[in-house]
Amino acid sequence: MMLPMQRFTLQVRSRSREELIDVTRDVQSLLLRVGVARGLCTLFVPHTTAAITVNENADPDVQRDLLEHLRRLVPRDSGYAHAEGNSDAHIKSSLVGVSVTLPVEGGKLALGTWQGVYFCEFDGPRLRRLDVFVIAADPESDGGLR
Amino acid sequence: MMLPMQRFTLQVRSRSREELIDVTRDVQSLLLRVGVARGLCTLFVPHTTAAITVNENADPDVQRDLLEHLRRLVPRDSGYAHAEGNSDAHIKSSLVGVSVTLPVEGGKLALGTWQGVYFCEFDGPRLRRLDVFVIAADPESDGGLR
Amino acid sequence: MMLPMQRFTLQVRSRSREELIDVTRDVQSLLLRVGVARGLCTLFVPHTTAAITVNENADPDVQRDLLEHLRRLVPRDSGYAHAEGNSDAHIKSSLVGVSVTLPVEGGKLALGTWQGVYFCEFDGPRLRRLDVFVIAADPESDGGLR
């Protein structure tokens, strides 16, 4: 017996050194094509100077504030040992994280009203990958509100 | 073939702007009712100014220290662009994260001895939601200690 | 019907107070023995002063920079309330996180070229545990590159 899981890879192109790229619509398009009524969607970033996060999708200032504050917490130059000059990007990657698991409902990501999914570029511009895993569940299995 | 996954929604009421709310018992109650001997439990916060974390459940001072230190790392006022005055809460949400996957064993969360599950409110007081997904596994499949 | 999930426990021995321990090979060995062609692997740390992360495996300086910068962000002494003197370790645990879900492909962790998996010790030296959950998926289910 095998689990009904599908694997996809999205390409993400960043245009500056630090950037939040909204990938919500790309993931939604995949899910619509896959046609999973209910399940889970695991996103995985196979890079060490990038990350994935979920945050507000309405006011772009929130994304700007997040990037700017991460720069304050982890400055680009701070006497790091790593010679490539991107230790800040590696540190941010571990703080934000490279993997997130999201709910799927009615064939779409079941995010909160104000949530979007953001690929976090910390050492661009580069062509990046985002791995997407979709796990199908029984749509009759809603436990409801408790 | 469909995966035996069940979905539930818990309501969480916060009483102050910043607060760690212990939801371990609520998730445990759900699991006992569901009756899954072994599996995984994914928790998802559908909000952009809140988060979910696992940390020490014995001394409440640990929770106080975590909230207080997050305030130091991400002050409420710090020249943010976002006009709503809660950029700190959005940033904390991305640092702590909105999704966590936990083991289920013997019908309960298989946490470490000192671990509890905490809903992190960063912009309350509010009535919040916590989505809970329970995936059942074969209880005969223990690989043991390596 | 039951999900083909297997559970394992790895032992991890830390040798200093703060240390990143590369557990990539240990997890890979488990996966090879389990023989799952495709799937997901969830790692869970059942401790409150440790964490799990994925980061660069080539230059050890990156790991040193990460530990050192976490010390700057969360100093060992900072007027914490918790009397045990390890509040810094608890806070780092919530910032980095205790759970991560990784892809499995061809019987191995499908990490990026430069990625390794690191158990993060923040209050050692100690003998620690790392819980490993392996979920098998249909190897025919590749959705390909989009």
Coordinates of all heavy atoms in Angstrom, one line a residue, chain A residues 8-53:
Chain A
F8 N 6.3 17.9 -6.7 CA 6.5 18.9 -7.8 C 7.7 19.8 -7.4 O 8.1 19.9 -6.3 CB 5.3 19.8 -7.9 CG 4.0 19.0 -8.2 CD1 3.2 18.6 -7.2 CD2 3.6 18.7 -9.5 CE1 2.1 17.8 -7.4 CE2 2.5 17.9 -9.7 CZ 1.7 17.5 -8.7
T9 N 8.2 20.4 -8.5 CA 9.3 21.4 -8.2 C 8.9 22.7 -8.9 O 8.7 22.7 -10.1 CB 10.6 20.9 -8.8 OG1 10.9 19.7 -8.1 CG2 11.7 21.9 -8.5
L10 N 8.9 23.8 -8.2 CA 8.7 25.1 -8.8 C 10.0 25.8 -8.9 O 10.9 25.6 -8.1 CB 7.8 26.0 -7.8 CG 6.3 25.5 -7.7 CD1 5.7 26.3 -6.6 CD2 5.6 25.8 -9.0
Q11 N 10.1 26.6 -10.0 CA 11.3 27.5 -10.1 C 10.9 28.9 -9.6 O 9.8 29.4 -9.9 CB 11.7 27.5 -11.6 CG 12.3 26.2 -12.0 CD 13.2 26.3 -13.3 OE1 12.9 27.2 -14.1 NE2 14.2 25.5 -13.4
V12 N 11.9 29.5 -8.9 CA 11.6 30.8 -8.4 C 12.8 31.7 -8.8 O 14.0 31.3 -8.5 CB 11.5 30.8 -6.8 CG1 11.3 32.2 -6.3 CG2 10.4 29.8 -6.4
R13 N 12.6 32.8 -9.4 CA 13.7 33.7 -9.8 C 13.7 34.9 -8.9 O 12.7 35.7 -8.9 CB 13.5 34.1 -11.3 CG 14.8 34.8 -11.8 CD 14.7 35.2 -13.3 NE 14.7 34.0 -14.1 CZ 15.9 33.4 -14.4 NH1 17.0 33.9 -14.0 NH2 15.9 32.3 -15.2
S14 N 14.8 35.1 -8.2 CA 14.9 36.3 -7.4 C 15.7 37.4 -8.2 O 16.5 37.1 -9.0 CB 15.6 36.0 -6.1 OG 16.9 35.6 -6.3
R15 N 15.4 38.7 -7.9 CA 15.9 39.8 -8.6 C 16.8 40.7 -7.8 O 17.4 41.6 -8.4 CB 14.8 40.6 -9.2 CG 13.7 39.8 -9.9 CD 13.4 40.2 -11.3 NE 12.5 39.1 -11.9 CZ 12.9 38.4 -13.0 NH1 14.0 38.7 -13.6 NH2 12.1 37.5 -13.5
S16 N 16.9 40.5 -6.5 CA 17.8 41.3 -5.7 C 18.4 40.4 -4.6 O 18.1 39.2 -4.5 CB 17.1 42.5 -5.1 OG 15.9 42.1 -4.5
R17 N 19.3 41.0 -3.8 CA 20.0 40.1 -2.8 C 19.0 39.6 -1.8 O 19.0 38.4 -1.4 CB 21.1 40.9 -2.1 CG 21.8 40.0 -1.1 CD 23.1 40.5 -0.6 NE 23.9 39.4 0.0 CZ 23.8 39.1 1.4 NH1 23.2 39.9 2.2 NH2 24.5 38.1 1.8
E18 N 18.1 40.5 -1.3 CA 17.1 40.1 -0.3 C 15.8 40.4 -0.8 O 15.5 41.5 -1.2 CB 17.4 40.8 1.0 CG 18.7 40.3 1.6 CD 19.3 41.3 2.6 OE1 18.5 41.9 3.4 OE2 20.6 41.5 2.5
E19 N 14.9 39.4 -0.8 CA 13.6 39.6 -1.4 C 12.6 38.6 -0.9 O 12.9 37.4 -0.7 CB 13.8 39.4 -2.9 CG 12.6 39.8 -3.8 CD 12.9 39.5 -5.3 OE1 14.0 39.2 -5.6 OE2 11.9 39.7 -6.1
L20 N 11.4 39.0 -0.6 CA 10.3 38.1 -0.3 C 9.5 37.9 -1.6 O 9.0 38.9 -2.1 CB 9.4 38.6 0.8 CG 10.0 38.6 2.2 CD1 8.8 38.7 3.2 CD2 10.8 37.4 2.5
I21 N 9.4 36.7 -2.1 CA 8.7 36.4 -3.4 C 7.4 35.6 -3.0 O 7.4 34.5 -2.5 CB 9.6 35.6 -4.3 CG1 10.8 36.4 -4.6 CG2 8.8 35.2 -5.6 CD1 11.9 35.7 -5.3
D22 N 6.3 36.2 -3.4 CA 5.0 35.6 -3.1 C 4.8 34.4 -4.1 O 4.6 34.6 -5.3 CB 3.8 36.6 -3.4 CG 2.5 36.1 -2.9 OD1 2.3 34.9 -2.7 OD2 1.6 37.0 -2.7
V23 N 4.7 33.2 -3.5 CA 4.6 32.0 -4.3 C 3.2 31.3 -4.1 O 2.9 30.2 -4.6 CB 5.7 30.9 -4.1 CG1 7.0 31.5 -4.5 CG2 5.7 30.5 -2.6
T24 N 2.3 32.1 -3.4 CA 1.0 31.5 -3.1 C 0.3 31.0 -4.4 O -0.2 29.9 -4.4 CB 0.1 32.6 -2.4 OG1 0.9 33.3 -1.4 CG2 -1.1 31.9 -1.7
R25 N 0.2 31.9 -5.4 CA -0.5 31.6 -6.6 C 0.1 30.4 -7.3 O -0.6 29.5 -7.9 CB -0.6 32.8 -7.5 CG -1.7 32.7 -8.5 CD -1.7 33.9 -9.5 NE -2.0 35.1 -8.8 CZ -2.2 36.3 -9.5 NH1 -2.2 36.3 -10.8 NH2 -2.5 37.4 -8.8
D26 N 1.4 30.3 -7.3 CA 2.1 29.1 -8.0 C 1.7 27.8 -7.3 O 1.5 26.8 -8.0 CB 3.6 29.3 -8.0 CG 4.0 30.6 -8.6 OD1 3.9 30.7 -9.8 OD2 4.5 31.5 -7.9
V27 N 1.7 27.8 -6.0 CA 1.4 26.6 -5.2 C -0.1 26.3 -5.4 O -0.5 25.1 -5.7 CB 1.7 26.8 -3.7 CG1 1.3 25.5 -3.0 CG2 3.2 27.0 -3.5
Q28 N -1.0 27.3 -5.4 CA -2.4 27.1 -5.7 C -2.6 26.5 -7.0 O -3.5 25.6 -7.2 CB -3.2 28.5 -5.6 CG -3.2 29.1 -4.2 CD -4.1 28.5 -3.2 OE1 -4.4 27.3 -3.3 NE2 -4.5 29.3 -2.2
S29 N -1.9 27.0 -8.1 CA -2.1 26.4 -9.4 C -1.8 25.0 -9.5 O -2.5 24.2 -10.1 CB -1.2 27.2 -10.4 OG -1.5 28.5 -10.4
L30 N -0.7 24.6 -8.8 CA -0.3 23.2 -8.7 C -1.4 22.4 -8.1 O -1.8 21.3 -8.6 CB 0.9 23.0 -7.8 CG 2.3 23.0 -8.5 CD1 3.3 22.7 -7.4 CD2 2.3 22.0 -9.6
L31 N -2.0 22.9 -7.0 CA -3.0 22.1 -6.2 C -4.2 22.0 -7.0 O -4.9 20.9 -7.0 CB -3.3 22.8 -4.9 CG -2.2 22.8 -3.9 CD1 -2.5 23.6 -2.7 CD2 -1.9 21.3 -3.4
L32 N -4.6 23.0 -7.8 CA -5.8 22.9 -8.6 C -5.6 21.8 -9.7 O -6.6 21.0 -9.9 CB -6.1 24.3 -9.3 CG -6.7 25.3 -8.4 CD1 -6.9 26.6 -9.1 CD2 -8.1 24.8 -7.9
R33 N -4.4 21.7 -10.3 CA -4.2 20.7 -11.3 C -4.2 19.3 -10.7 O -4.6 18.4 -11.3 CB -2.8 21.0 -12.0 CG -3.0 21.2 -13.5 CD -1.7 21.6 -14.1 NE -1.0 22.4 -13.2 CZ 0.3 22.6 -13.3 NH1 1.0 22.1 -14.3 NH2 1.0 23.4 -12.5
V34 N -3.6 19.2 -9.5 CA -3.5 17.9 -8.8 C -4.9 17.4 -8.4 O -5.2 16.2 -8.4 CB -2.6 18.0 -7.6 CG1 -2.7 16.7 -6.7 CG2 -1.2 18.3 -8.0
G35 N -5.8 18.4 -8.0 CA -7.2 18.0 -7.7 C -7.3 17.3 -6.4 O -8.2 16.4 -6.2
V36 N -6.6 17.7 -5.3 CA -6.7 17.1 -4.0 C -7.7 17.8 -3.2 O -7.5 19.0 -3.0 CB -5.4 17.0 -3.3 CG1 -5.5 16.7 -1.8 CG2 -4.4 16.1 -4.0
A37 N -8.8 17.2 -2.8 CA -9.9 17.9 -2.1 C -9.4 18.3 -0.7 O -9.7 19.4 -0.2 CB -11.1 17.0 -2.0
R38 N -8.8 17.4 0.0 CA -8.3 17.7 1.3 C -6.9 17.0 1.5 O -6.7 15.9 1.0 CB -9.3 17.2 2.4 CG -8.7 17.1 3.8 CD -9.7 16.9 4.8 NE -10.6 18.0 4.8 CZ -11.8 18.0 5.4 NH1 -12.2 16.9 6.1 NH2 -12.6 19.0 5.4
G39 N -6.1 17.7 2.3 CA -4.8 17.1 2.6 C -3.8 18.1 3.2 O -4.2 19.1 3.8
L40 N -2.5 17.7 3.0 CA -1.5 18.6 3.5 C -0.5 18.9 2.3 O -0.3 18.1 1.4 CB -0.7 17.9 4.6 CG -1.4 17.8 6.0 CD1 -0.6 17.0 6.9 CD2 -1.7 19.2 6.6
C41 N 0.2 20.0 2.4 CA 1.1 20.4 1.4 C 2.4 20.8 2.1 O 2.4 21.8 2.9 CB 0.5 21.6 0.6 SG 1.6 22.2 -0.6
T42 N 3.5 20.1 1.9 CA 4.7 20.4 2.5 C 5.6 21.1 1.5 O 5.8 20.6 0.4 CB 5.5 19.1 3.0 OG1 4.7 18.6 4.1 CG2 6.9 19.5 3.6
L43 N 6.1 22.3 1.9 CA 7.0 23.0 1.0 C 8.5 22.9 1.6 O 8.7 23.0 2.8 CB 6.6 24.5 1.0 CG 5.2 24.8 0.5 CD1 4.9 26.3 0.6 CD2 4.9 24.2 -0.9
F44 N 9.4 22.7 0.7 CA 10.8 22.5 1.1 C 11.7 23.3 0.2 O 11.7 23.2 -1.0 CB 11.2 21.0 1.1 CG 12.6 20.8 1.5 CD1 13.0 20.9 2.8 CD2 13.6 20.4 0.5 CE1 14.3 20.7 3.2 CE2 14.9 20.2 0.9 CZ 15.3 20.3 2.2
V45 N 12.6 24.1 0.8 CA 13.6 24.9 0.1 C 15.0 24.2 0.1 O 15.6 24.0 1.2 CB 13.8 26.3 0.8 CG1 14.9 27.1 0.1 CG2 12.5 27.0 0.7
P46 N 15.4 23.7 -1.1 CA 16.7 22.9 -1.1 C 17.9 23.8 -1.2 O 18.9 23.5 -1.9 CB 16.5 22.1 -2.3 CG 15.7 22.9 -3.3 CD 14.8 23.7 -2.4
H47 N 17.9 25.0 -0.5 CA 19.0 25.9 -0.5 C 19.4 26.3 0.9 O 18.5 26.3 1.8 CB 18.6 27.2 -1.3 CG 18.1 26.9 -2.7 ND1 19.0 26.5 -3.7 CD2 16.9 26.9 -3.2 CE1 18.3 26.3 -4.8 NE2 17.0 26.5 -4.5
T48 N 20.6 26.8 1.1 CA 21.1 27.2 2.5 C 21.1 28.7 2.7 O 21.5 29.1 3.8 CB 22.5 26.5 2.7 OG1 23.4 27.1 1.8 CG2 22.4 25.0 2.6
T49 N 20.8 29.5 1.7 CA 20.7 30.9 1.9 C 19.4 31.5 1.5 O 19.2 32.6 1.1 CB 21.8 31.6 1.1 OG1 21.8 31.2 -0.2 CG2 23.2 31.3 1.7
A50 N 18.3 30.7 1.7 CA 17.0 31.0 1.4 C 16.1 30.4 2.5 O 16.5 29.6 3.3 CB 16.6 30.6 0.0
A51 N 14.8 30.7 2.5 CA 13.9 30.1 3.5 C 12.4 30.2 2.9 O 12.2 30.7 1.8 CB 14.0 30.8 4.8
I52 N 11.5 29.7 3.7 CA 10.1 29.8 3.3 C 9.3 30.2 4.5 O 9.5 29.8 5.7 CB 9.6 28.4 2.8 CG1 8.2 28.5 2.2 CG2 9.6 27.3 3.9 CD1 8.2 28.9 0.7
T53 N 8.3 31.2 4.3 CA 7.5 31.6 5.5 C 6.1 31.9 5.0 O 5.8 32.1 3.8 CB 8.2 32.8 6.2 OG1 7.6 33.0 7.5 CG2 8.0 34.1 5.4

